[in-house]
CSV table of all heavy atoms in Angstrom, one decimal:
chain,number,residue,atom,x,y,z
A,25,ILE,N,101.8,204.7,183.7
A,25,ILE,CA,102.1,205.2,185.0
A,25,ILE,C,100.9,205.6,185.8
A,25,ILE,O,100.7,205.3,186.9
A,25,ILE,CB,103.1,206.3,184.9
A,25,ILE,CG1,104.5,205.8,184.4
A,25,ILE,CG2,103.3,207.0,186.3
A,25,ILE,CD1,105.4,206.9,183.9
A,26,TYR,N,100.0,206.3,185.0
A,26,TYR,CA,98.7,206.8,185.6
A,26,TYR,C,97.9,205.6,186.0
A,26,TYR,O,97.3,205.6,187.1
A,26,TYR,CB,98.0,207.7,184.6
A,26,TYR,CG,96.9,208.4,185.2
A,26,TYR,CD1,97.1,209.3,186.2
A,26,TYR,CD2,95.6,208.3,184.6
A,26,TYR,CE1,96.0,210.0,186.8
A,26,TYR,CE2,94.5,209.1,185.2
A,26,TYR,CZ,94.7,209.9,186.2
A,26,TYR,OH,93.7,210.6,186.8
A,27,GLU,N,97.8,204.6,185.2
A,27,GLU,CA,97.0,203.4,185.5
A,27,GLU,C,97.5,202.7,186.7
A,27,GLU,O,96.8,202.3,187.6
A,27,GLU,CB,97.0,202.5,184.3
A,27,GLU,CG,96.1,201.3,184.5
A,27,GLU,CD,96.0,200.4,183.2
A,27,GLU,OE1,97.0,200.3,182.5
A,27,GLU,OE2,94.9,199.9,182.9
A,28,PHE,N,98.8,202.7,186.9
A,28,PHE,CA,99.4,202.0,188.0
A,28,PHE,C,99.1,202.8,189.3
A,28,PHE,O,98.6,202.1,190.3
A,28,PHE,CB,101.0,201.9,187.9
A,28,PHE,CG,101.6,201.1,189.0
A,28,PHE,CD1,101.7,199.7,188.8
A,28,PHE,CD2,102.0,201.7,190.2
A,28,PHE,CE1,102.3,198.9,189.8
A,28,PHE,CE2,102.5,200.9,191.2
A,28,PHE,CZ,102.7,199.5,191.0
A,29,VAL,N,99.2,204.1,189.4
A,29,VAL,CA,98.9,204.8,190.6
A,29,VAL,C,97.4,204.8,190.9
A,29,VAL,O,97.0,204.8,192.1
A,29,VAL,CB,99.5,206.2,190.7
A,29,VAL,CG1,101.0,206.2,190.9
A,29,VAL,CG2,99.1,207.1,189.5
A,30,LYS,N,96.6,204.8,189.9
A,30,LYS,CA,95.1,204.8,190.1
A,30,LYS,C,94.6,203.5,190.6
A,30,LYS,O,93.7,203.4,191.3
A,30,LYS,CB,94.4,205.3,188.8
A,30,LYS,CG,94.5,206.8,188.6
A,30,LYS,CD,93.7,207.6,189.6
A,30,LYS,CE,94.0,209.1,189.5
A,30,LYS,NZ,93.2,209.9,190.4
A,31,ASN,N,95.2,202.4,190.1
A,31,ASN,CA,94.7,201.1,190.3
A,31,ASN,C,95.5,200.3,191.4
A,31,ASN,O,95.1,199.2,191.7
A,31,ASN,CB,94.6,200.3,189.1
A,31,ASN,CG,93.4,200.7,188.2
A,31,ASN,OD1,92.4,201.3,188.7
A,31,ASN,ND2,93.5,200.6,186.9
A,32,HIS,N,96.5,200.9,192.0
A,32,HIS,CA,97.3,200.3,193.1
A,32,HIS,C,97.3,201.2,194.3
A,32,HIS,O,98.2,202.0,194.4
A,32,HIS,CB,98.7,200.0,192.6
A,32,HIS,CG,98.8,198.9,191.6
A,32,HIS,ND1,98.6,199.2,190.2
A,32,HIS,CD2,99.1,197.6,191.7
A,32,HIS,CE1,98.7,198.1,189.6
A,32,HIS,NE2,99.0,197.1,190.4
A,33,PRO,N,96.3,201.1,195.1
A,33,PRO,CA,96.2,202.0,196.2
A,33,PRO,C,97.1,201.7,197.4
A,33,PRO,O,96.7,201.5,198.5
A,33,PRO,CB,94.7,201.9,196.7
A,33,PRO,CG,94.4,200.5,196.3
A,33,PRO,CD,95.2,200.1,195.1
A,34,VAL,N,98.4,201.7,197.1
A,34,VAL,CA,99.4,201.3,198.1
A,34,VAL,C,100.4,202.4,198.3
A,34,VAL,O,101.4,202.2,199.0
A,34,VAL,CB,100.2,200.0,197.6
A,34,VAL,CG1,99.3,198.8,197.7
A,34,VAL,CG2,100.8,200.2,196.2
A,35,HIS,N,100.1,203.6,197.8
A,35,HIS,CA,101.0,204.8,198.0
A,35,HIS,C,102.4,204.5,197.6
A,35,HIS,O,103.4,204.6,198.3
A,35,HIS,CB,101.0,205.2,199.5
A,35,HIS,CG,99.6,205.4,200.1
A,35,HIS,ND1,99.1,204.5,201.0
A,35,HIS,CD2,98.7,206.3,199.8
A,35,HIS,CE1,97.8,204.9,201.3
A,35,HIS,NE2,97.6,206.0,200.6
A,36,PRO,N,102.6,204.1,196.3
A,36,PRO,CA,103.9,203.8,195.8
A,36,PRO,C,104.9,205.0,195.7
A,36,PRO,O,104.4,206.1,195.5
A,36,PRO,CB,103.7,203.2,194.4
A,36,PRO,CG,102.4,203.8,194.0
A,36,PRO,CD,101.6,204.0,195.2
A,37,THR,N,106.2,204.7,195.9
A,37,THR,CA,107.2,205.7,195.5
A,37,THR,C,107.4,205.6,194.0
A,37,THR,O,107.0,204.6,193.4
A,37,THR,CB,108.5,205.4,196.3
A,37,THR,OG1,108.9,204.1,195.9
A,37,THR,CG2,108.3,205.4,197.8
A,38,ALA,N,108.2,206.6,193.5
A,38,ALA,CA,108.5,206.5,192.1
A,38,ALA,C,109.3,205.2,191.8
A,38,ALA,O,109.2,204.6,190.7
A,38,ALA,CB,109.3,207.8,191.7
A,39,ASP,N,110.2,204.8,192.7
A,39,ASP,CA,111.0,203.6,192.6
A,39,ASP,C,110.1,202.4,192.4
A,39,ASP,O,110.4,201.5,191.6
A,39,ASP,CB,111.9,203.4,193.8
A,39,ASP,CG,112.9,204.4,193.9
A,39,ASP,OD1,112.6,205.5,194.4
A,39,ASP,OD2,114.1,204.2,193.5
A,40,VAL,N,109.0,202.3,193.2
A,40,VAL,CA,108.1,201.2,193.1
A,40,VAL,C,107.4,201.1,191.7
A,40,VAL,O,107.3,200.1,191.1
A,40,VAL,CB,107.1,201.2,194.3
A,40,VAL,CG1,106.0,200.2,194.1
A,40,VAL,CG2,107.8,200.9,195.6
A,41,VAL,N,107.0,202.3,191.3
A,41,VAL,CA,106.3,202.4,190.0
A,41,VAL,C,107.2,202.0,188.9
A,41,VAL,O,106.9,201.2,188.0
A,41,VAL,CB,105.7,203.8,189.8
A,41,VAL,CG1,105.1,203.9,188.4
A,41,VAL,CG2,104.8,204.2,190.9
A,42,TYR,N,108.5,202.5,189.0
A,42,TYR,CA,109.5,202.2,188.0
A,42,TYR,C,109.8,200.7,187.9
A,42,TYR,O,109.8,200.1,186.9
A,42,TYR,CB,110.8,203.0,188.3
A,42,TYR,CG,111.9,202.6,187.4
A,42,TYR,CD1,111.9,202.9,186.1
A,42,TYR,CD2,113.1,202.1,188.0
A,42,TYR,CE1,113.0,202.6,185.2
A,42,TYR,CE2,114.2,201.7,187.2
A,42,TYR,CZ,114.1,202.0,185.8
A,42,TYR,OH,115.2,201.7,185.0
A,43,ALA,N,110.0,200.1,189.1
A,43,ALA,CA,110.3,198.7,189.1
A,43,ALA,C,109.1,197.8,188.6
A,43,ALA,O,109.3,196.8,187.9
A,43,ALA,CB,110.5,198.2,190.6
A,44,ALA,N,107.9,198.3,188.8
A,44,ALA,CA,106.7,197.5,188.3
A,44,ALA,C,106.5,197.6,186.8
A,44,ALA,O,106.0,196.7,186.1
A,44,ALA,CB,105.5,198.0,189.0
A,45,LEU,N,107.0,198.8,186.2
A,45,LEU,CA,106.7,199.0,184.8
A,45,LEU,C,107.9,198.9,183.8
A,45,LEU,O,107.7,198.9,182.6
A,45,LEU,CB,106.0,200.4,184.6
A,45,LEU,CG,104.7,200.7,185.3
A,45,LEU,CD1,104.3,202.1,185.2
A,45,LEU,CD2,103.6,199.7,184.8
A,46,ARG,N,109.0,198.8,184.4
A,46,ARG,CA,110.3,198.8,183.6
A,46,ARG,C,110.3,197.7,182.5
A,46,ARG,O,110.7,198.0,181.4
A,46,ARG,CB,111.4,198.6,184.7
A,46,ARG,CG,112.8,198.3,184.2
A,46,ARG,CD,113.7,198.4,185.3
A,46,ARG,NE,113.4,197.4,186.4
A,46,ARG,CZ,114.0,197.4,187.6
A,46,ARG,NH1,115.0,198.2,187.8
A,46,ARG,NH2,113.7,196.5,188.5
A,47,ASP,N,109.8,196.5,182.9
A,47,ASP,CA,109.8,195.4,181.9
A,47,ASP,C,108.8,195.7,180.7
A,47,ASP,O,109.1,195.4,179.6
A,47,ASP,CB,109.6,194.1,182.5
A,47,ASP,CG,110.8,193.7,183.4
A,47,ASP,OD1,111.9,194.2,183.2
A,47,ASP,OD2,110.6,192.9,184.3
A,48,GLU,N,107.6,196.2,181.2
A,48,GLU,CA,106.6,196.4,180.2
A,48,GLU,C,106.9,197.6,179.2
A,48,GLU,O,106.6,197.5,178.1
A,48,GLU,CB,105.3,196.7,181.0
A,48,GLU,CG,104.0,197.0,180.2
A,48,GLU,CD,102.9,197.5,181.0
A,48,GLU,OE1,102.9,197.2,182.2
A,48,GLU,OE2,102.1,198.3,180.5
A,49,LEU,N,107.6,198.6,179.8
A,49,LEU,CA,107.9,199.8,179.0
A,49,LEU,C,109.4,199.9,178.9
A,49,LEU,O,110.1,200.5,179.7
A,49,LEU,CB,107.4,201.0,179.7
A,49,LEU,CG,105.9,201.1,180.0
A,49,LEU,CD1,105.6,202.2,180.9
A,49,LEU,CD2,105.1,201.2,178.7
A,50,GLY,N,110.0,199.3,177.8
A,50,GLY,CA,111.4,199.2,177.7
A,50,GLY,C,112.2,200.5,177.9
A,50,GLY,O,113.2,200.4,178.7
A,51,SER,N,111.8,201.6,177.4
A,51,SER,CA,112.7,202.8,177.4
A,51,SER,C,112.5,203.7,178.6
A,51,SER,O,112.9,204.8,178.7
A,51,SER,CB,112.5,203.6,176.1
A,51,SER,OG,111.1,204.0,176.1
Side-chain angles (χ1 to χ4, degrees):
I25 294 166
Y26 192 56
E27 187 171 36
F28 189 89
V29 287
K30 284 291 174 178
N31 286 333
H32 292 79
V34 292
H35 311 107
T37 59
D39 295 80
V40 168
V41 178
Y42 173 64
L45 299 177
R46 172 170 56 187
D47 291 340
E48 180 189 331
L49 304 167
S51 60

